[in-house]
Amino acid sequence: QVQLVNTGGGSVQSGGSLRLSCVYSGRIFSRYCMGWFRQAPGKEREAVARTSSDGTSMYADSVKGRFTISQDNSKNTLYLQMNSLKSEDTAMYYCAAGGSELASKTYAYWGQGTQVTVSS
């Protein structure tokens, strides 16, 4: 059984940084992607970034140049480094596994989410 546990959220001022972590366990087939998604109150869930087994990453336009997704397989951990945070980045952030590209509906496994709040 695959489990994902999100940590690392919090509150920060605009322009600040946070790093989210997602520890995963169970068998996740390497041919699938792992990613980060977010959902703000009253809005639909949106993709943030994904990484794949070939080492490539993909980002939403809104976070390009500010966020970095990475994966440490020795620690079974997925990271999202978030720099130059803006108030519009405020949302619940979820890690996910077993999906394709940035299509949230294709992801089979989800973490419980962690809140990120950016104050201006």
Side-chain angles (χ1 to χ4, degrees), residues 38-53:
R38 66 186 182 187
Q39 188 168 19
K43 295 187 177 181
E44 293 187 355
R45 184 175 296 181
E46 64 175 356
V48 176
R50 71 94 174 123
T51 186
S52 63
S53 59

Side-chain angles (χ1 to χ4, degrees), residues 71-86:
Q71 187 174 4
D72 186 339
N73 288 322
S74 68
K75 297 182 179 180
N76 280 9
T77 303
L78 182 73
Y79 300 100
L80 184 69
Q81 177 66 43
M82 305 184 294
N83 299 327
S84 302
L85 282 161
K86 306 175 181 179

Side-chain angles (χ1 to χ4, degrees), residues 6-60:
N6 293 139
T7 60
S11 297
V12 65
Q13 290 191 330
S14 179
S17 299
L18 282 173
R19 187 175 79 160
L20 306 183
S21 299
C22 174
V23 178
Y24 50 89
S25 60
R27 188 174 183 182
I28 301 175
F29 291 104
S30 61
R31 65 177 178 270
Y32 294 112
C33 297
M34 295 193 72
W36 289 95
F37 298 81
R38 66 186 182 187
Q39 188 168 19
K43 295 187 177 181
E44 293 187 355
R45 184 175 296 181
E46 64 175 356
V48 176
R50 71 94 174 123
T51 186
S52 63
S53 59
D54 64 0
T56 61
S57 300
M58 184 179 291
Y59 297 90

Side-chain angles (χ1 to χ4, degrees), residues 4 6 20-22 32-40 43-51 58-60 62-63 67 69 78-80 82 88-116:
L4 306 174
N6 293 139
L20 306 183
S21 299
C22 174
Y32 294 112
C33 297
M34 295 193 72
W36 289 95
F37 298 81
R38 66 186 182 187
Q39 188 168 19
K43 295 187 177 181
E44 293 187 355
R45 184 175 296 181
E46 64 175 356
V48 176
R50 71 94 174 123
T51 186
M58 184 179 291
Y59 297 90
S62 59
V63 306
F67 292 10
I69 188 171
L78 182 73
Y79 300 100
L80 184 69
M82 305 184 294
E88 51 262 46
D89 295 319
T90 295
M92 185 72 79
Y93 283 71
Y94 301 88
C95 66
S100 176
E101 305 300 341
L102 293 175
S104 63
K105 292 183 178 180
T106 67
Y107 283 75
Y109 309 103
W110 292 83
Q112 83 283 11
T114 186
Q115 179 67 37
V116 171

